[in-house]
Every structure is written in C-alpha cells, then in structure tokens.
Amino acid sequence: MRTKAAILWEVGTPWSVEEVELDDPQPGEVRVKLASSGLCHSDDHAVKNDIPTGLPIIGGHEGAGVVEEVGPGVTRLKPGDHVVMAFMPACGHCRWCASGISVLCDYGAVIMSGLPIADGKPRTHARGQGLMRMSLLGTFSPYAVVHQDSCVKIDDDIPLELASLVGCGVATGFGAAVNRAQVGPGDTVVVVGTGGVGSSAVQGARIAGAEHIVAVDPIPFRREQAELLGATHSVASMEEAMPLVTELTRGVMADRTILTASLATADMLKPLMLLTRKGGRACLTSTANPGIDKVELLLVDVIFGQKEIVGNVFGGCNPHADLPRLLSLYRTGELKLEELVTKRYSLEQVNEGYDDLLAGRIMRGMIVF
Ligand SMILES: NC(=O)c1ccc[n+]([C@@H]2O[C@H](COP(=O)([O-])OP(=O)(O)OC[C@H]3O[C@@H](n4cnc5c(N)ncnc54)[C@H](O)[C@@H]3O)[C@@H](O)[C@H]2O)c1
Ligand SMILES: [Zn+2]
Ligand SMILES: [Zn+2]
C-alpha cells in the first residue's frame, strides 16, 4: 500500500515526510494503523548520531494503534485488536525472556539494525531504496508492518492516542523509579532531567510513596510541569540540589537518584553519586554517546559508601506484564498521561515538534494521525 512516513536520510538533516510503499505483513507480522506517535528524545539522538542507526530510517518508536491485517502464523493478534508497540520486542523464550527479564531479550541485538526480525529485509520503500524502521517500529507513519512480538494487546477502553506513551517514555521513566531504582515509601528521590522520561520517573516515585521528590532541570517550564506531576521540590542543577537534599535529609542524602537528562555525559556521574546516600542507588537512564568510556567519579565515595549504580532499558519492564498495568494506573487516575502531552502535531509538523522539544517548550509532543 501507499502511505507516508518521516524519514531520516542522512545524519544531521531534518525528517523528510514523503510517500512510501509498504509491503504486506510477512509470517509473524501484523499491519497496524497507528493512532499516534510520541516524540521521544531518542529519535533526535539518531539524527545527531548519538544513537548510531542504519540509514535511511523511518523514525518513531512510541506508538499505538489498531491491528488491520495479520500475516501467516500470527497467533496472538487478530484484526481489530488494540495494541501498544514496545520499543524492545520480547520473543518470550530466550534465556532472558524465560527468566522474567524480557527487556534484555536477545532481539535487542537486532533492534538497532531497524530491519525485520523474520528475514532482515525492509518492508518499506522510497526513492527505490529499502527503509529501516526505528526500534523495528517506525511510528512516524500512519501505518507500520511490525512483528507480533513488538506488540502488546491492550483493552479497548484505553484511549489509543495516549496509550502510545507507554511504548517508551512513560514505561522507561516509571520503571526507572519503580523497577530499577526500587523507590520505596518515605524515600527521598532526585530526578535529573524532567522531560517526558524524567517526569514519568517523578510519577513512578510519587506512586511508590516517596516523601521528597526533587526535580532537577535547567528549564523552568520542565520544573513547573514536574511539580504538577508530583515533584515536591525543583531546582535548576545538581549543584543547586546538593544543599537542598542535604537539608531535606539532614545530611543523609537521597535514597534514590535517577538520571534522565537529555544526554548522559562523563561529568554527570560524580555529582549524581554525591547526591546519593550511602547504601543508596543511582539509576542511569539517559542515552550516552557510545564513544564515552571514561567518567568522573569519586571512587572512594562509591566504594566505601557502598553505593549502587544500575542501568536501565525500558524501565526494566516486561512489556506484556507491565504495559497493561501502567494503563491500569492511568485508568485509576494515578498515572497522568494527558497532562504529559503539551502539544499535538501532524506528521508534516514533526520537525516543528522536535524544535519545540529541544527548546523545552513542551513536555511530550505527540503526532496524531
Ligand atoms: N534507557 C532507555 O531505555 C531510554 C528510553 C527512552 C529514552 N531514553 C533517554 O532518556 C533521555 C531523556 O529522554 P526524554 O525524551 O525525556 O528527553 P527530553 O528532552 O524530553 O528531556 C530531557 C531533559 O533533560 C534536561 N537536562 C539536560 N541537561 C541537564 C542537566 N545537566 N541537568 C538536569 N537536566 C538536564 C533538559 O532540560 C530536558 O528537560 C534521553 O537521553 C533519551 O534518549 C532512554
Ligand atoms: Zn524512547
Ligand atoms: Zn527473548
């Protein structure tokens, strides 16, 4: 079928919205008609080459929609099903899936290729070339042919437009607080960088019962929004957070710290660990340039403070178990989704959306189809 998509042809260039040819679903695949796509910062990392991807690629990895057609051998989905697309697919039977950490599924090795799990051959074409799809999804298009293992069926009463947000940012941030940092009742939590992911970490910390949640962000609008979503305090930098957290905890420092700034840089770890109490835990979530192999750290503080540093992919979520549960929290009113979306865009406005994101004028932007 003919449809359109936002394509990155070369590093450092704008998204180009143009006509594409989409093949029929192959074995194990489904065609999804998308309702919306969130604008995650990670797609811009692909533009800037902080996340190296194959090119040309259709952007977007935060989508939800309705299954329109299923290919041969699809067992878990049928036309009409509502699905959220998970940016990490889960095969269900590799060592990691089988032991309950499907976020580390062996499929992770292929998602950066952007080419279908089944046969590695592109399903979308433009200008006579095969196109890759971000995270095997490519949600900057009204239609996507994706593997059933990338799709999580959700209840029909959940607004599809908002459901897309749990396909990456909300799950990653919420899970950063709840699964990876393991925030507990009464904790003091510092979230560094409160965009779409960080403000979801703020919500996770609030729902987990944290007492103090300190939002750190240089952009005043982001700080205000983080406070609406549950931050009890906000400051512009980790430096400013130091005396505040010292005072709030009578010198103990934060039980949990979460790094969700635009990009993790080598100089961020030292202050982050100094904000973390002895025996506390820091959760690193931001993307880092793959070339960074040296960081600044007060080593003695980490060793003799017995501090933990944990990584984070997709909030440590098992998509089939956790994404529907996040949507249940939306249903009960505890997890705010509408409040995250500052502005809706058409596909043609995708570059405007990223200009707004990078300038901090929006929390999450959303393309609506
Ligand atoms: N680990 C994962 O699975 C995963 C998943 C999704 C996104 N990410 C990454 O998470 C990060 C955040 O994504 P997002 O969509 O929320 O981005 P965003 O642009 O919406 O938010 C980032 C925020 O960080 C703030 N910031 C920048 N430098 C800072 C600093 N030094 N101190 C404090 N705040 C700072 C910015 O002002 C901005 O508000 C990105 O690096 C993204 O690639 C990781
Ligand atoms: Zn993302
Ligand atoms: Zn697996």
Side-chain angles (χ1 to χ4, degrees):
M1 69 179 287
R2 301 291 293 170
T3 182
K4 55 188 179 170
I7 305 166
L8 178 68
W9 289 92
E10 274 177 67
V11 165
T13 60
W15 296 101
S16 168
V17 179
E18 48 195 276
E19 287 233 323
V20 298
E21 185 67 35
L22 181 63
D23 297 344
D24 291 336
Q26 299 301 303
E29 294 177 346
V30 300
R31 187 174 70 237
V32 178
K33 184 179 194 308
L34 279 101
S36 67
S37 170
L39 299 179
C40 179
H41 200 121
S42 300
D43 297 284
D44 190 66
H45 286 319
V47 173
K48 309 260 163 68
N49 209 27
D50 285 315
I51 296 181
T53 57
L55 297 174
I57 192 165
I58 299 175
H61 59 278
E62 207 175 76
V66 181
V67 174
E68 268 203 345
E69 195 188 326
V70 302
V74 169
T75 50
R76 291 192 294 98
L77 295 168
K78 58 181 189 317
D81 281 350
H82 290 197
V83 292
V84 171
M85 298 175 178
F87 88 83
M88 274 294 302
C91 76
H93 46 74
C94 70
R95 171 181 169 184
W96 318 105
C97 285
S99 50
I101 33 175
S102 60
V103 77
L104 298 181
C105 177
D106 283 338
Y107 278 162
V110 298
I111 71 163
M112 295 316 290
S113 77
L115 292 169
I117 293 167
D119 58 8
K121 293 190 186 128
R123 303 279 183 265
T124 327
H125 316 268
R127 306 187 197 176
Q129 287 189 54
L131 305 175
M132 304 178 186
R133 302 191 75 112
M134 186 72 81
S135 295
L136 308 180
L137 302 177
T139 57
F140 294 168
S141 175
Y143 293 92
V145 167
V146 298
H147 200 276
Q148 65 173 342
D149 290 346
S150 293
C151 297
V152 177
K153 185 175 159 12
I154 60 166
D155 291 337
D156 290 354
D157 66 311
I158 300 289
L160 268 176
E161 222 177 270
L162 293 175
S164 63
L165 300 173
V166 305
C168 176
V170 169
T172 301
F174 181 94
V178 173
N179 299 331
R180 301 300 295 142
Q182 296 186 333
V183 172
D187 275 353
T188 295
V189 182
V190 176
V191 180
V192 180
T194 52
V197 177
S199 58
S200 301
V202 165
Q203 294 210 67
R206 166 174 52 76
I207 293 168
E211 180 187 12
H212 305 297
I213 305 171
V214 179
V216 180
D217 203 296
I219 299 175
F221 174 68
R222 296 284 172 96
R223 297 201 297 274
E224 280 162 29
Q225 296 296 306
E227 291 198 7
L228 292 176
L229 292 166
T232 55
H233 302 75
S234 68
V235 288
S237 66
M238 285 196 265
E239 217 173 27
E240 266 186 50
M242 216 66 85
L244 172 68
V245 174
T246 305
E247 191 200 317
L248 288 173
T249 62
R250 298 183 194 83
V252 173
M253 307 310 279
D255 301 285
R256 303 292 185 247
T257 55
I258 297 169
L259 182 63
T260 42
S262 322
L263 192 66
T265 52
D267 57 341
M268 285 179 171
L269 236 60
K270 187 172 170 184
L272 189 77
M273 295 318 293
L274 290 173
L275 282 167
T276 311
R277 69 158 162 81
K278 60 184 177 184
R281 180 180 280 193
C283 170
L284 309 187
T285 300
S286 307
T287 295
N289 186 296
I292 295 185
D293 62 356
K294 289 185 186 64
V295 294
E296 291 166 30
L297 203 55
L298 190 56
L299 212 45
V300 73
D301 165 67
V302 175
I303 297 168
F304 294 114
Q306 213 168 272
K307 299 183 181 182
E308 293 177 306
I309 300 175
V310 298
N312 175 18
V313 188
F314 204 2
C317 291
N318 288 311
H320 293 280
D322 291 331
L323 304 193
R325 291 202 302 163
L326 282 173
L327 293 170
S328 297
L329 284 172
Y330 162 76
R331 214 188 254 126
T332 62
E334 281 164 288
L335 183 69
K336 311 287 179 204
L337 294 180
E338 183 58 51
E339 291 78 351
L340 267 182
V341 185
T342 319
K343 199 169 168 190
R344 288 167 163 80
Y345 303 88
S346 67
L347 180 62
E348 285 70 19
Q349 292 172 306
V350 58
N351 292 301
E352 189 187 310
Y354 274 102
D355 288 347
D356 287 343
L357 177 83
L358 298 175
R361 288 187 286 266
I362 55 170
M363 285 295 272
R364 213 39 153 200
M366 176 182 275
I367 294 173
V368 176
F369 297 109

